[in-house]
């Protein structure tokens, strides 16, 4: 099996290239995705190789991007839409939650909207406002939408292809601060044999406490686990990968073993993914818990100016501090 | 005020060539100063409006000074970004005349709603150029009082501010502040790319239906990041106005005098209760979209060179020289001032303190929130737990 070392961004690019090759109905659309290859170069070279009918620079309007993609989907295409930054998805919010999410249901199953909405999300890149947000809860809260996020190049490569192949509309969140991180990617594994899209995965086994994260925070939790191991504490790290629907079987199994759970995300805590995960753990693993499920999250404030974002974002210290607290209970 | 009179004082009228229509070969473009520095006395717009302005020598020199200063301060900000002192910078290079012309046309009582690129308008409003740099340095998110400066905060979400401007303008009407020479007008800035946004089109509808005292000032700099104008429109942008029911005009955005004339005219119409209009300032983004961008990926050098020949400052200088309005001493003095002000700007940027981390919890709600208060307390306690440790 051929393994290449790719950045997460290049892995997404390679995955989309494969999807374009394998299915003539796949089209990529968004602002600056053509010649420029996107502001993060995730679609670099694709217009050159597949033409401007399949890799489409759209007018500057997010509602237009998603709304016309709905029409293309009704017509039999599989649109892969790029929203340039998390903070710019909201003009398309109506199309996403009222139209994309409901078409299948309203048509009593006669229509599918096999759309992927790619959104670079999260902070940590020193950007100005609207470029560092974590909107996953808005979409995860919407029945009819699926939400997935990758945390490493291998998953990026496979999951983007799986998302494009899926008939469900999927909001695909890309951890932009991890775009440049490298890792091995098996490039010729057949898609059906790959690890499934709608499944969590143990990113690092451990015995003493369970860290649950997704997207950009998986790396942070892995680093925290490495640091904890030096102090003799073995943390299990679970990468959720799919946020809607959540796949928590392995989480329950893990928490039953460790008795302690900490959920980590960048988004604010209030009504966030952590609240959902913590509640379900409590419901399923109540008698195994040695402490309440804790959350380490962004604060319940607008994403702050970049010079204080390091204080806002969960980091290794805050994660380990929470782990300590689960032991101090 | 007579239609077509941009309301400019006629002190010290200088003999200028007779008016010509379509001197650029583009009958749609309102121009009063050619790229060669030839002055046209007046020009007739597509709807028959005659634009003419006349200035004293002092005023002409003032325009030149503003153009040079605005460019120099912008270059300084770009340099500061390169040196890591700003996180990002959106340069106005090439768009100085559109901004200085329209910015100078504003009267004290008028309100402006900028994008993220209107550093030149800000300067012309008499605002300290340091003001927007906190946003680009990452120490704040604007943080100024729009009402104090009659200049809204920068808006990064494309097009959103056009609706805010329209609503503000509706408020001006509700307050009975139109219909006289002292009436208030509102100007909204946006780009060519923004014209595709729903918000911008909705603001056209609102402004039209409510006859809002609005000027829509579109700087068509030919690009929305990498996407050329053709990705947003098949017709000249100014002509969109007709479909919404108000006048539109295309002005040479590299001509500071014409930019002033059309903006003053539109603002005066608005303040007199004659409703909105759209100005398309035809210009060019000479630099990258922002410091994060690499324009060599999507446009050719010869295109940039062609626009270089239409430089807004060079033509103003040619005019001043030809008409003997300014001499070498003046130009040297302006350069000196520009240098002084940019050094001063740099010094103050370097001194901008990082925000106190706990200040991120300030101003989330005017009436406060127990949740935010609790998180602030926890945050403070957490930071204190490191005190005395090696951390
Ligand atoms: C709603 C929204 N979508 C996307 C972006 C990202 N973006 C920032 S500037 C820009 C292009 C804007 O082009 P234009 O309106 O012509 O203004 P210019 O930058 O040329 O002054 C884009 C797509 C954004 N800021 N807001
Ligand atoms: Mg533009």
């Amino acid at each position: 099996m051929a393994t290449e070392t790719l950045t997460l961004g290049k892995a997404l690019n390679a995955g989309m290239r494969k999807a374009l090759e394998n299915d003539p109905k796949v089209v990529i659309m968004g602002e600056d995705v053509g010649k420029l290859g996107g502001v993060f170069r995730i679609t670099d070279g694709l217009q050159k190789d597949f033409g401007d009918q399949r890799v489409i620079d759209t007018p500057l309007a997010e509602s237009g991007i998603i709304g016309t993609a709905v029409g293309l989907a009704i017509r039999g295409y599989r649109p892969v839409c790029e929203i340039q930054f998390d903070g710019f998805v909201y003009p398309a919010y109506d199309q996403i939650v009222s139209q994309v999410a409901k078409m299948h249901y309203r048509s009593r199953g006669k229509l599918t909207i096999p759309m992927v909405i790619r959104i670079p999300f999260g902070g940590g890149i020193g950007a100005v406002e609207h470029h560092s947000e974590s909107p996953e809860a808005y979409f995860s809260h919407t029945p009819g939408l699926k939400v997935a996020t990758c945390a490493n190049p291998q998953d990026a490569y496979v999951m983007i292809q799986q998302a494009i192949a899926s008939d469900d509309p999927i909001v695909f969140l890309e951890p932009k601060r991890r775009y440049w991180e490298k890792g091995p990617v098996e490039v010729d594994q057949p898609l059906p044999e790959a690890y499934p899209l709608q499944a969590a995965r143990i990113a690092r086994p451990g015995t003493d406490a369970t860290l649950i994260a997704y997207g950009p925070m998986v790396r942070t939790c892995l680093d925290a686990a490495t640091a904890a191991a030096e102090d003799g504490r073995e943390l299990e790290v679970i990468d959720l990968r799919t946020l809607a629907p959540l796949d928590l079987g392995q989480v329950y199994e893990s928490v039953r073993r460790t008795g302690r759970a900490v959920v980590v995300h960048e988004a604010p805590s209030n009504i966030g993914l952590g609240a959902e995960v913590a509640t379900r753990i409590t419901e399923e693993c109540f008698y195994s818990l040695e402490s309440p499920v804790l959350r380490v999250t962004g604060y319940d404030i607008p994403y702050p100016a970049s010079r204080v974002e390091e204080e806002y974002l969960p980091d290794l210290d805050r994660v380990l501090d929470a782990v300590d607290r689960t032991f101090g209970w | 005020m007579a239609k077509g009179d941009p309301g400019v004082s006629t002190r010290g009228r200088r003999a200028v060539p007779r008016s010509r229509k379509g001197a650029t070969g583009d009958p749609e473009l309102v121009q009063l100063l050619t790229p060669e520095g030839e002055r046209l006395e007046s020009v007739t717009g597509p709807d028959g409006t005659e634009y003419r302005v006349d200035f004293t020598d002092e005023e002409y020199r003032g325009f030149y000074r503003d153009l040079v200063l605005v460019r120099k301060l912008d270059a300084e900000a770009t340099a500061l970004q390169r040196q890591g002192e700003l996180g990002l910078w959106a340069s106005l290079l090439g768009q100085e005349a559109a901004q200085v012309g329209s910015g100078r046309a504003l009267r004290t009582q008028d309100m402006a709603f900028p994008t993220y690129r209107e550093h030149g308008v800000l300067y012309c409003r008499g605002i300290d150029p340091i003001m927007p740099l906190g946003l680009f340095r990452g120490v704040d998110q604007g943080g100024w009082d729009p009402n104090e400066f009659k200049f809204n905060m920068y808006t990064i979400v494309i097009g959103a501010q056009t609706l805010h401007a329209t609503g503000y303008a509706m408020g001006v009407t509700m307050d009975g502040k139109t219909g006289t020479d002292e009436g208030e007008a509102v100007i909204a800035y946006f780009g060519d790319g923004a014209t595709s946004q729903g918000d911008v089109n909705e603001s056209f509808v609102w402004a039209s239906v409510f006859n809002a005292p609005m000027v829509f000032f579109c700087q068509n700099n030919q690009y929305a990041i990498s996407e050329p104008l053709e990705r947003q429109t098949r017709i000249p942008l100014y002509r969109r106005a007709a479909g919404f029911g108000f006048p539109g005009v295309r002005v040479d955005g590299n001509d500071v005098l014409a930019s002033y004339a059309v903006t003053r005219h539109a603002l005066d119409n608005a303040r007199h209760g004659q409703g909105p209009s759209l100005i398309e300032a035809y210009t060019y983004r000479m630099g990258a979209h922002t410091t994060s961008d690499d324009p060599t990926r999507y446009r050719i050098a010869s295109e940039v060179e062609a626009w270089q020949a239409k430089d807004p400052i060079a033509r103003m200088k040619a005019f001043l020289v030809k008409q003997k309005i300014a001499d070498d001493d003046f130009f040297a003095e302006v350069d000196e001032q520009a240098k002084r002000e940019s050094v001063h700007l740099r010094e103050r940027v370097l001194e901008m303190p990082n925000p106190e981390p706990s200040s991120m919890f300030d101003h989330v709600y005017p009436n406060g929130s127990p949740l935010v208060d609790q998180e602030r307390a926890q945050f403070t306690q957490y930071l204190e737990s490191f005190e005395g440790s090696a951390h």
Side-chain angles (χ1 to χ4, degrees):
Chain A
M1 200 164 285
T3 302
E4 287 178 24
T5 301
L6 296 177
T7 62
L8 192 151
K10 282 262 185 290
L12 288 166
N13 179 275
M16 279 190 279
R17 174 175 290 278
K18 258 215 148 145
L20 284 162
E21 278 166 5
N22 291 344
D23 185 346
K25 291 297 187 188
V26 171
V27 291
I28 289 178
M29 49 201 288
E31 295 156 9
D32 305 290
V33 298
K35 253 191 199 169
L36 186 64
V39 294
F40 289 108
R41 309 291 183 263
I42 306 303
T43 55
D44 191 21
L46 297 181
Q47 190 183 64
K48 190 169 132 280
D49 294 342
F50 295 93
D52 59 10
Q53 297 286 308
R54 297 196 63 202
V55 182
I56 304 165
D57 269 334
T58 66
L60 204 180
E62 288 74 15
S63 183
I65 295 170
I66 304 301
T68 56
V70 169
L72 282 162
I74 294 172
R75 181 74 193 173
Y77 285 86
R78 306 186 82 83
V80 182
C81 302
E82 176 175 302
I83 298 293
Q84 201 160 79
F85 281 91
D86 34 61
F88 306 140
V89 69
Y90 307 113
Y93 194 61
D94 168 61
Q95 286 290 342
I96 297 172
V97 303
S98 298
Q99 304 299 334
V100 174
K102 294 176 179 166
M103 286 275 170
H104 187 65
Y105 190 73
R106 289 172 53 226
S107 70
R108 311 231 72 191
K110 290 177 195 68
L111 275 183
T112 56
I113 306 295
M115 188 191 301
V116 177
I117 302 169
R118 297 179 38 239
I119 313 176
F121 85 122
I125 62 162
V128 294
E129 55 183 353
H130 314 296
H131 292 73
S132 304
E133 298 176 6
S134 298
E136 61 268 24
Y138 302 134
F139 301 112
S140 304
H141 191 65
T142 302
L145 289 180
K146 288 187 174 175
V147 182
T149 174
C150 53
N152 59 60
Q154 175 68 52
D155 275 357
Y157 177 71
V158 172
M159 288 172 74
I160 189 66
Q161 292 182 66
Q162 291 170 323
I164 295 169
S166 166
D167 281 344
D168 296 321
I170 299 181
V171 174
F172 192 86
L173 300 167
E174 302 173 359
K176 70 171 86 79
R177 68 199 279 201
R178 309 298 181 200
Y179 272 150
W180 301 274
E181 292 185 4
K182 285 187 180 156
V185 178
E186 280 176 18
V187 286
D188 53 8
Q189 183 187 35
L191 217 46
E193 289 168 28
Y195 196 82
L197 177 64
Q198 303 294 328
R201 181 151 59 186
I202 295 174
R204 176 187 170 117
T207 48
D208 299 332
T210 306
L211 298 180
I212 300 140
Y214 54 85
M217 285 290 106
V218 174
R219 163 69 25 221
T220 305
C221 288
L222 288 170
D223 291 346
T226 305
E230 285 164 17
D231 295 339
R233 207 173 257 170
E234 292 300 331
L235 306 182
E236 182 146 298
V237 178
I238 299 187
D239 176 0
L240 287 177
R241 298 171 84 253
T242 172
L243 307 183
L246 283 164
D247 171 44
L248 296 177
Q250 293 173 92
V251 172
Y252 302 148
E253 195 276 321
S254 174
V255 175
R256 286 190 192 108
R257 277 187 283 112
T258 63
R260 294 177 169 83
V262 176
V263 196
V264 184
H265 56 65
E266 290 187 17
S269 66
N270 199 43
I271 326 291
L273 263 289
E276 187 61 37
V277 173
T279 306
R280 289 183 186 270
I281 292 173
T282 309
E283 287 167 355
E284 294 290 326
C285 313
F286 187 69
Y287 291 108
S288 310
L289 285 171
E290 303 287 344
S291 97
V293 182
L294 296 185
R295 287 173 289 175
V296 180
T297 69
Y299 299 105
D300 288 282
I301 61 176
Y303 197 89
S306 65
R307 295 243 170 176
V308 285
E309 71 178 337
E310 295 303 331
E311 313 284 344
Y312 172 89
L313 292 167
D315 61 3
L316 185 146
D317 285 325
R318 278 176 64 197
V319 172
L320 292 179
D321 177 68
V323 170
D324 284 347
R325 281 186 282 130
T326 66
F327 278 91
W329 219 272
Chain B
M1 196 167 297
K3 190 168 161 66
D5 177 357
V8 177
S9 91
T10 52
R11 283 165 291 142
R13 268 182 185 280
R14 174 168 294 276
V16 287
R18 288 159 49 99
S19 64
R20 270 186 294 167
K21 193 172 176 179
T24 54
D26 178 354
E28 296 183 301
L29 193 71
V30 172
Q31 189 183 70
L32 290 168
L33 189 62
T34 71
E36 296 72 37
E38 298 295 340
R39 178 79 165 80
L40 312 178
E41 186 182 350
S42 72
V43 60
T44 307
D47 64 353
T49 304
E50 195 196 355
Y51 296 100
R52 77 170 60 235
V53 283
D54 206 355
F55 295 102
T56 64
D57 290 356
E58 191 56 37
E59 286 166 334
Y60 281 126
R61 286 191 294 264
F63 275 119
Y64 177 81
R65 187 186 299 274
D66 286 348
L67 292 169
V68 170
L69 272 152
V70 156
R71 179 173 291 184
K72 179 71 178 171
L73 293 169
D74 183 78
E76 193 62 44
T78 299
L80 283 162
Q81 194 282 334
R82 294 275 175 250
Q83 292 151 11
E85 296 296 339
L86 300 179
L88 183 80
W89 183 246
S91 168
L92 59 58
L93 188 63
Q95 299 175 220
E96 296 87 352
Q99 295 199 14
V100 169
S102 62
R104 282 289 167 212
L106 291 166
R107 294 182 47 191
T108 328
Q109 70 269 29
D110 296 340
M111 178 74 178
F113 286 78
T115 71
Y116 40 81
R117 211 186 283 288
E118 270 67 70
H119 326 304
V121 180
L122 178 144
Y123 185 84
C124 290
R125 294 242 79 181
I127 300 169
D128 187 338
I130 192 87
M131 197 168 82
L133 293 190
L135 174 71
F136 291 100
R137 189 170 165 84
V139 302
D140 61 40
Q141 293 175 332
W144 64 82
D145 178 354
N147 285 313
E148 178 186 346
F149 295 100
K150 290 272 178 186
F151 189 83
N152 191 45
M153 282 182 289
Y154 278 4
T155 299
I156 289 175
V157 179
I158 298 298
Q161 76 284 357
T162 58
L163 281 168
H164 309 159
T166 303
Y168 186 99
M170 289 164 66
V172 170
T173 308
M174 291 174 191
D175 291 343
K177 298 289 189 188
T178 59
T180 69
D181 281 357
E182 298 317 306
E184 294 178 33
V186 182
I187 191 166
Y189 288 88
F190 55 102
D192 45 295
T195 60
S196 295
Q197 280 287 8
D199 278 8
V200 173
N201 289 276
E202 289 170 22
S203 73
F204 289 173
V205 171
W206 253 251
S208 176
V209 164
F210 294 101
N211 202 40
M214 271 295 300
V215 176
F216 292 102
F217 195 92
C218 177
Q219 284 170 87
N220 174 1
N221 63 7
Q222 313 299 329
Y223 283 92
I225 310 188
S226 73
E227 295 189 1
L229 183 65
E230 304 79 69
R231 240 330 82 141
Q232 319 294 342
T233 189
R234 294 281 297 269
I235 59 157
L237 289 173
Y238 81 90
R239 285 203 224 156
R240 295 231 181 125
F244 290 93
F246 51 85
V249 60
R250 176 183 275 182
V251 64
D252 182 344
N254 286 14
D255 170 354
V256 71
L257 304 179
S259 295
Y260 178 96
V262 297
T263 312
R264 195 66 193 254
H265 176 75
L267 286 167
D268 284 342
N269 275 350
R271 84 176 75 259
H272 282 99
Q274 288 162 40
S277 40
L278 169 63
I279 296 169
E280 176 191 3
Y282 203 74
T283 180
Y284 194 77
R285 195 194 79 208
M286 294 300 292
H289 169 67
T290 65
T291 45
S292 301
D293 179 41
D294 173 11
T296 63
R297 290 180 71 101
Y298 54 82
R299 67 185 190 189
I300 50 173
S302 61
E303 182 186 296
V304 183
E305 281 156 24
W307 277 92
Q308 191 73 55
K310 303 179 191 173
D311 184 66
I313 301 187
R315 75 173 74 176
M316 193 62 192
K317 186 168 185 177
F319 165 70
L320 295 181
V321 170
K322 236 176 271 187
Q323 298 289 328
K324 301 198 169 52
I325 298 174
D327 57 14
D328 286 349
D329 285 351
F330 168 77
F331 295 122
E333 183 260 312
V334 171
D335 286 346
E336 200 45 52
Q337 183 191 352
K339 204 164 149 195
R340 228 175 26 246
E341 288 197 19
S342 63
V343 168
H344 186 50
L345 182 73
R346 159 174 294 268
E347 286 166 356
R348 290 183 300 152
V349 167
L350 300 184
E351 282 166 11
M352 269 186 176
N354 281 343
E356 195 53 52
S358 64
S359 71
M360 67 179 158
F361 296 98
D362 297 344
H363 308 300
V364 182
Y365 303 95
N367 293 338
S369 147
L371 176 61
V372 174
D373 292 346
Q374 184 194 355
E375 290 183 357
R376 183 208 305 267
Q378 282 165 351
F379 176 77
T380 309
Q381 205 179 14
Y382 173 72
L383 288 191
E384 281 166 7
S385 73
F386 289 105
E387 263 162 32
S389 77
H391 185 77

